[in-house]
Amino acid sequence: MCMNGFVCCDFMFLFVHSDFECILHNIPLSHIFDIKTFSLPSHKIQTLGQTLLSEKLTQMMEWASKRSVIRMNGDKFRRFVKAPPRNYSVVIMFTALQPQRQCGVCRQADEEFQVLANSWRYSSAFTNKVFFASVDFDEGSDVFQMLSMNSAPTFLHFPSKGKPRRSDTYELQVRGFAAEQLARWVADRTDVQIRVIRPPNYAGPLLLGFLLAVIGGLAYLRRHNLEFLFNKNVWAFSALCFVLIMTSGQMWNHIRGPPYAHKNPSTGQVSYIHGSSQAQFVAETHIVLLFNAAITMGMVLLCEAATSDMDIGKRKIMCVAGIGLVMLFFSWLLSIFRAKYHGYPYSFLMG
């Protein structure tokens, strides 16, 4: 006998949620239904809701105790995220980690997401207010289709009440996927402050120590001839390298932690240049650095051609090479600028 979303049989009760999730309870009909009207008392609905919520929380806490980032497929997503009742928030990373997807950015983002989730799971302030989960494309393609999602990685916050808003989608290409940036976004959406704790990394200090040792060793070997320290070409080259690194956006990368590039998991197309003027990829800074270096080299060749004492033939070659480098790479640099600043009217050689 079926009536108003309830399937009834002898001393059994099947409650069907709005998302078609079924929970079976051994409850006598007389304890639930008013036989005359076949209506469900409100206190019974509230009791069942509280029981279901308690079961979901218990299950989520059990999963979180085993893995800081709960792995979800389509069924788990519909049951524990989409279907009510739910009084906890879930931050989900939608990713594509399988080797055949060749998503290097996904692996990098996953490492930062794990750092964030571990920092929350093993902190003294850990509660059941927020959970971290992931949905892999190969394990939950139906979820990607449900949410009309065609790129990875993507971070979404599902609030405890209501539907996700636009601000519940993390701006990955603007803010990067560093755990610290993700923690600020989570704090903004959930009011949960997470102090990011990273495992110790000795690579930086060791590399710095090795570099200082090499410089000290070279200075010791040439302690009787330190004229190279007063060589203006050495200092000019060092200053030029520093300027190129800073003007290419390396400091922005260090602060924001953007991905190296972006690969669309649906089409497989890799983007090395970000389409917005408010963000950039790491590969983009490398490209800009090389273009600026080539333009600088062209200018140096032009200056040498004008002031050098070499024969006229070599000076002409240097002049032509310098002009070619400046024109070609400045044109490419300007085309990148036009691609990021839509509507910029000027171009050079390349439209």
Side-chain angles (χ1 to χ4, degrees), residues 7 9 11-15 21-27 55:
V7 180
C9 55
F11 301 100
M12 304 294 287
F13 170 64
L14 184 63
F15 179 59
E21 179 188 9
C22 302
I23 313 299
L24 190 64
H25 298 274
N26 293 318
I27 303 175
E55 292 174 355

Side-chain angles (χ1 to χ4, degrees), residues 323-335 338 345-351:
I323 292 174
L325 285 172
V326 171
M327 293 180 62
L328 180 62
F329 285 96
F330 181 75
S331 177
W332 282 343
L333 195 62
L334 196 59
S335 66
R338 284 170 53 86
Y346 304 107
S347 62
F348 182 66
L349 294 183
M350 301 179 185

Side-chain angles (χ1 to χ4, degrees), residues 234-254:
V234 172
W235 288 105
F237 180 77
S238 302
L240 184 60
C241 290
F242 179 79
V243 170
L244 289 174
I245 291 173
M246 291 297 103
T247 56
S248 65
Q250 295 296 329
M251 187 57 67
W252 194 93
N253 292 343
H254 180 73

Side-chain angles (χ1 to χ4, degrees), residues 20-52:
F20 304 101
E21 179 188 9
C22 302
I23 313 299
L24 190 64
H25 298 274
N26 293 318
I27 303 175
L29 289 176
S30 60
H31 291 182
I32 301 176
F33 288 105
D34 184 335
I35 302 299
K36 295 181 180 179
T37 62
F38 272 89
S39 61
L40 187 64
S42 59
H43 71 278
K44 293 293 184 180
I45 296 177
Q46 184 177 3
T47 302
L48 288 175
Q50 292 175 350
T51 302
L52 177 58

